[in-house]
Amino acid sequence: MKERETFCEGIVSYSQEKKTLKKPIVLVIAVFLMASLSACAEKREASRETGGDVPSKILATVNGAPITEEDVNRSLKRVAHGEKVAPDATKNILEALVRNELVYQQSIELGLDKNPEYRRKLYEAEAKLRDYKKQELSALYREYVKNKAVVTDSEAKEYFEKNLKRFQTKVHIGQISYKGQEARIAEDHKELKSGKSFEKVAAKRFPDLPKGMKAPWDLGFLYWFQIPESWQDSIDRLKPGQTSEIIRGPNERFWLIKLVDASVDPKITFATEKERIVEILRKRKTDELSETMLSQMRKKSDITFPK
C-alpha cells in the first residue's frame, strides 16, 4: 500500500469536494455557539472584576504598581541563559526592577512618553502585540468551532455510500503542469488538439531526461484522497486514454491531465476510509459553521470604513 501514500507534484492529501450542509442545522448550531461565546465573554468580564486568575506572588510595589515573582523569573531567564545564578541574584534583579519602575513613573510625570520617536516605537510594539493576540485567539477559535463540528458514523457512512465508485476507483494519471504560465499551458493544449501525443508534449519540459528514467509526468495510480479537488470533475468525465481540457487551480496553477487507466479496488471499504471521510466532513462542517457565525457577528456589529 506504499503507493497510496505517495504525493506527487500538484497533489494534495485530501479531496475537498464541496457539498453544502443543511443550512437550518448549521444555523441552529451556530446560534448555540454564539450564545456560548457570549456567555464565556460575560464570565471573563466577571472574572476581571473579581480578580480572575490567581496572580503571581507580589514581591514589591512602587506607588501601587506591583512587581511580581513572574517579573523576576522572566528577568532571571534573560540574564542567566540557563546557567546557575548566585543566591543573591533574585534580590539584585528585584532591586533593578524597582529602579526601572521608578524611572518609568518619573518619565511619565515628566511627559517623556509624548516623545514622537517613543510614540512611534510604542505603536509598532502594540501593533505586533495586537497581531499576536488575534493570531493566537483565531487558532483557539478555530479549534473551538472544530470541536463543535461533530460528524456521526451515519453521516460518514452515507457519504461513503454516495461516493462508493469514486472511493474504490484508483486512477493512473499523467500530468502537464505550469505555475503562472497560462500561455505555455495553452500552447501545449493546442498541440494535443492537433494530434500530438500527450507523452511527447509532456516530454518537452524534460529535454535532458536520462534514458530509462521514469517519466516525471507519470504520477502512477492515485486514490481518491490523493487527487486535487480541481481535478476530480475532469477525471470523472474522462475515459482511459483521454486528455482533459486546461484545468485551472489556486495560485495560478494550470494542468492538463491524461487518464491512462482506471481500476476498481474492492479492498477499499468504509472501515478503511472512515477516518479520512470523517476528517473531510468535519472540516466542511467547521468551515460552514465559521462562516455562519461570522455572518451573524457582522450583522450585530457596527463596522465602518472612514474615508
Side-chain angles (χ1 to χ4, degrees), residues 41-298:
E42 290 174 3
K43 288 180 181 178
R44 285 194 297 272
E45 191 60 37
S47 178
R48 291 192 194 100
E49 293 174 0
T50 57
D53 297 335
V54 178
S56 178
K57 181 180 178 182
I58 295 176
L59 302 180
T61 61
V62 180
N63 297 320
I67 296 175
T68 67
E69 191 172 48
E70 178 60 29
D71 295 328
V72 172
N73 290 337
R74 191 165 52 249
S75 296
L76 271 173
K77 288 178 182 177
R78 283 201 297 266
V79 299
H81 301 296
E83 299 178 4
K84 190 174 180 179
V85 297
D88 60 347
T90 299
K91 182 179 178 182
N92 292 338
I93 286 178
L94 181 58
E95 287 292 340
L97 291 175
V98 168
R99 175 187 175 281
N100 290 345
E101 182 62 32
L102 286 168
V103 170
Y104 169 75
Q105 293 183 16
Q106 182 65 32
S107 298
I108 299 296
E109 289 182 13
L110 293 171
L112 301 181
D113 57 323
K114 303 298 189 295
N115 178 277
E117 183 63 14
Y118 167 78
R119 300 302 301 178
R120 184 187 66 79
K121 291 180 179 179
L122 180 63
Y123 176 82
E124 290 179 357
E126 289 175 340
K128 289 180 181 178
L129 177 59
R130 287 194 301 272
D131 288 344
Y132 171 80
K133 289 162 71 174
K134 289 174 184 177
Q135 180 180 338
E136 292 298 310
L137 286 175
S138 179
L140 291 174
Y141 175 80
R142 179 76 180 177
E143 192 65 26
Y144 173 86
V145 178
K146 182 180 178 181
N147 290 336
K148 301 298 181 183
V150 178
V151 176
T152 65
D153 284 351
S154 61
E155 287 175 320
K157 187 71 179 291
E158 180 184 3
Y159 184 77
F160 175 78
E161 290 173 351
K162 284 184 177 180
N163 297 277
L164 180 61
K165 182 180 178 181
R166 180 177 288 180
F167 287 145
Q168 289 190 326
T169 301
K170 59 180 182 178
V171 290
H172 185 176
I173 297 292
Q175 74 158 347
I176 297 172
S177 68
Y178 292 96
K179 181 176 174 62
Q181 300 182 63
E182 189 170 4
R184 292 191 65 182
I185 199 81
E187 181 184 331
D188 288 355
H189 182 246
K190 186 177 180 180
E191 290 188 14
L192 290 172
K193 287 293 185 182
S194 70
K196 198 169 185 178
S197 75
F198 185 90
E199 289 70 25
K200 284 186 177 179
V201 175
K204 290 192 307 178
R205 293 191 61 187
F206 307 94
D208 301 321
L209 188 68
K211 193 174 181 180
M213 181 179 177
K214 181 184 175 182
W217 58 85
D218 186 349
L219 304 181
F221 277 97
L222 305 175
Y223 287 82
W224 67 275
F225 59 89
Q226 296 173 304
I227 298 172
E229 177 188 354
S230 51
W231 291 17
Q232 193 64 67
D233 288 340
S234 294
I235 290 175
D236 289 344
R237 291 192 294 267
L238 295 177
K239 294 179 180 179
Q242 292 183 333
T243 301
S244 72
E245 297 296 317
I246 296 174
I247 301 173
R248 290 168 170 77
N251 303 317
E252 293 189 281
R253 295 296 302 271
F254 303 98
W255 297 277
L256 289 164
I257 58 174
K258 177 181 179 179
L259 178 60
V260 180
D261 194 11
S263 62
V264 174
D265 185 351
K267 294 180 182 179
I268 299 295
T269 64
F270 176 65
T272 63
E273 308 307 303
K274 179 181 176 181
E275 186 176 339
R276 293 188 181 95
I277 291 172
V278 168
E279 195 58 36
I280 287 173
L281 295 181
R282 192 178 188 188
K283 182 182 183 305
R284 186 176 300 158
K285 279 190 173 185
T286 300
D287 290 343
E288 294 207 8
L289 278 172
S290 294
E291 285 301 313
T292 303
M293 292 171 67
L294 180 61
S295 177
Q296 291 181 343
M297 285 186 278
R298 281 183 174 276

